[in-house]
Every structure is written in C-alpha cells, then in structure tokens.
Amino acid sequence: SIQLQLKYEEDRKELVAGISHDLRTPLTAIKGYVKGLKDGIANTTEKQKHYHDVIYTKANEMDVLVDKLFLFSKLDTGHLPFYFNKVYCKEYLDNFIKNVREDYESKGLKIAYSNLCSSDIALKIDIDQMNRVFNNILENSVKYKLSEICNVDFNVIADGDEVIIDISDDGNGVPEEILPNLFKSFYRGDTSRSNPRDSSGLGLSIAERIVKAHNGTIVAQNKNGLDIIIKLPVAKEQ
C-alpha cells in the first residue's frame, strides 16, 4: 500500500511537471509576439497579421491541451460520467469507419478495415468515449507517419467472450524499452519534449483509462509498425 502511494505521488509530480512544460511553451511564444506588437517590431500590416496569426494558433494549442487535461483529470479521479448503451459491434464499427475514413484519408491515413464479428455480437459501451479511443489511436498514426501516406489495418474479431480490435500502422513503431511507458501520461519517448504541439502525450493515456472503464484491456506492441490491441467484453444477455 505504501509503495503504491509513493508510485501515485511520483506520477502526480511527473504530471504536474508535464503540464507546466507543455503550457509554458505556447505561453512563452504568445508573450513574445504580444511584446513584439507592443514594441512596434511588427511595423507593417503583413508582419502584424503574421504576429496575430501566431498568437491565435498558440492560444488554440493551449485550449486543446487544457481540454485534454480536463478530460484526463476527470478520468483519473473517476468523475467522468459514462453513458453505457448496448450496441452491435459490427454495425457500430462499420458506421464509425464509414464516418471517419474520408477525413483521415485527407490527412494521409489509408484505413484497411475488416470486421469478422457476426451481426448479433453486442458491446456495452459509451459510444462517444469509445470513439475518442479510436480517434486518439488513429491520430497518433497520423502524427508519426513516416511518409505522405500511412497504411492502417483496423481488424475486428470475436474470440469467446471478448471482441478483439487490432489497429496497426506501417510506421516506425517504437523502441522496445518505450513500450511499457506508452500509455503513461505526457510520455512521448522524447526527453527534450521539444514539440508539444505535435503530441501532448495524453492521447494514449486517455484511451487506456476509457478502455479500463469499459472493463477492457489495451496493449501495444511492434509489428511492422505500432500495433494497438483492445479487448472488450461481449455484452451478456439480460
């Protein structure tokens, strides 16, 4: 119990350090560009527009990060309400892929989808939160794709009392020593944390907490790229 408490406190310290760093980076840029406007450095209409655009972009980055932190905090403290409904696995995921495929293709993600679940296999899920899980994983593939096009295999099968959702890309994967930390908040495998705009490091951590709230599991492995495997329990008949 004491060891768990110490681990919890250590995680909290890392979380606070991560928040401080990732908020400071865009805030420093905003202050710098505002000072440039005040001091008259942006002395042409074109420069002023550029300064205003940068300030607006950095403010949006902070807004997105704060939203993620708010969601993460509610998940971490158990205060995020979940609205579970019974859905049929094949119908639900068919519709999800149909709705997001075009948008991800515009971002350079080509999704190959296969769902071998029979039409009567059901899940008890919060649709909005589970959609967030899949989108966080797919966005991760977009951010770290090696070339203009990234191929993603989105495969679904039923195995006994579980539905297994396997999402893998053809990116670079991650070093084996990083895999155990992949779902850790603010972990990016980059100790310099030099580019928070590309990833807050919260996406997969949020995904893990949502999956656990559904009594499921989520793991990562390297398989010609990064492979995320989610297992969710099949909904039992009342």
Side-chain angles (χ1 to χ4, degrees):
S1 176
I2 294 173
Q3 288 178 339
L4 285 173
Q5 185 65 27
L6 290 172
K7 173 79 166 56
Y8 182 77
E9 290 301 323
E10 188 63 30
D11 288 345
R12 284 287 177 186
K13 289 178 183 177
E14 290 185 14
L15 180 62
V16 170
I19 293 170
S20 300
H21 184 284
D22 283 14
L23 285 176
R24 186 185 299 117
T25 302
L27 184 59
T28 300
I30 289 171
K31 288 171 66 178
Y33 279 93
V34 168
K35 190 174 189 305
L37 288 169
K38 286 181 66 178
D39 294 347
I41 295 174
N43 52 12
T44 67
T45 302
E46 185 178 353
K47 278 187 178 181
Q48 289 171 359
K49 182 181 182 305
H50 172 67
Y51 276 43
H52 286 136
D53 287 345
V54 171
I55 291 168
Y56 181 72
T57 298
K58 295 298 179 183
N60 283 337
E61 288 175 16
M62 291 182 68
D63 193 39
V64 169
L65 179 57
V66 168
D67 282 346
K68 284 186 176 181
L69 285 169
F70 184 61
L71 174 64
F72 178 83
S73 177
K74 292 178 78 172
L75 284 166
D76 203 36
T77 57
H79 291 156
L80 181 72
F82 282 87
Y83 303 99
F84 293 99
N85 290 288
K86 182 179 177 181
V87 300
Y88 290 101
C89 177
K90 183 163 175 55
E91 180 185 12
Y92 159 61
L93 287 172
D94 284 357
N95 286 330
F96 171 79
I97 295 296
K98 179 182 177 183
N99 291 332
V100 304
R101 175 173 264 150
E102 186 175 342
D103 182 46
Y104 280 113
E105 281 186 355
S106 70
K107 299 176 181 179
L109 211 64
K110 187 175 181 181
I111 302 174
Y113 171 65
S114 169
N115 191 332
L116 300 180
C117 289
S118 59
S119 59
D120 62 340
I121 292 179
L123 300 169
K124 193 173 183 182
I125 62 171
D126 182 318
I127 292 175
D128 289 339
Q129 297 304 332
M130 195 53 64
N131 286 354
R132 189 190 301 275
V133 170
F134 299 136
N135 279 314
N136 283 358
I137 294 169
L138 293 172
E139 286 291 346
N140 208 54
S141 293
V142 171
K143 289 168 187 171
Y144 297 107
K145 66 182 192 292
L146 293 174
S147 57
E148 191 172 331
I149 301 295
C150 175
N151 295 292
V152 170
D153 290 325
F154 195 115
N155 298 317
V156 187
I157 61 170
D159 183 17
D161 292 334
E162 292 181 323
V163 167
I164 302 173
I165 303 160
D166 191 328
I167 307 171
S168 60
D169 62 36
D170 62 354
N172 218 13
V174 297
E176 289 296 324
E177 64 271 15
I178 288 177
L179 280 174
N181 296 312
L182 204 59
F183 297 101
K184 189 175 181 180
S185 58
F186 281 101
Y187 192 84
R188 285 193 289 265
D190 175 11
T191 54
S192 69
R193 304 174 57 81
S194 59
N195 201 354
R197 179 179 63 82
D198 286 345
S199 173
S200 67
L202 285 173
L204 291 180
S205 185
I206 287 171
E208 182 189 44
R209 281 160 172 76
I210 293 173
V211 170
K212 284 184 175 179
H214 285 74
N215 295 318
T217 62
I218 180 170
V219 297
Q221 63 182 18
N222 285 313
K223 190 181 76 174
N224 301 320
L226 186 61
D227 184 20
I228 306 290
I229 302 168
I230 298 170
K231 295 181 180 181
L232 296 172
V234 172
K236 301 295 185 182
E237 292 295 332
Q238 296 293 334

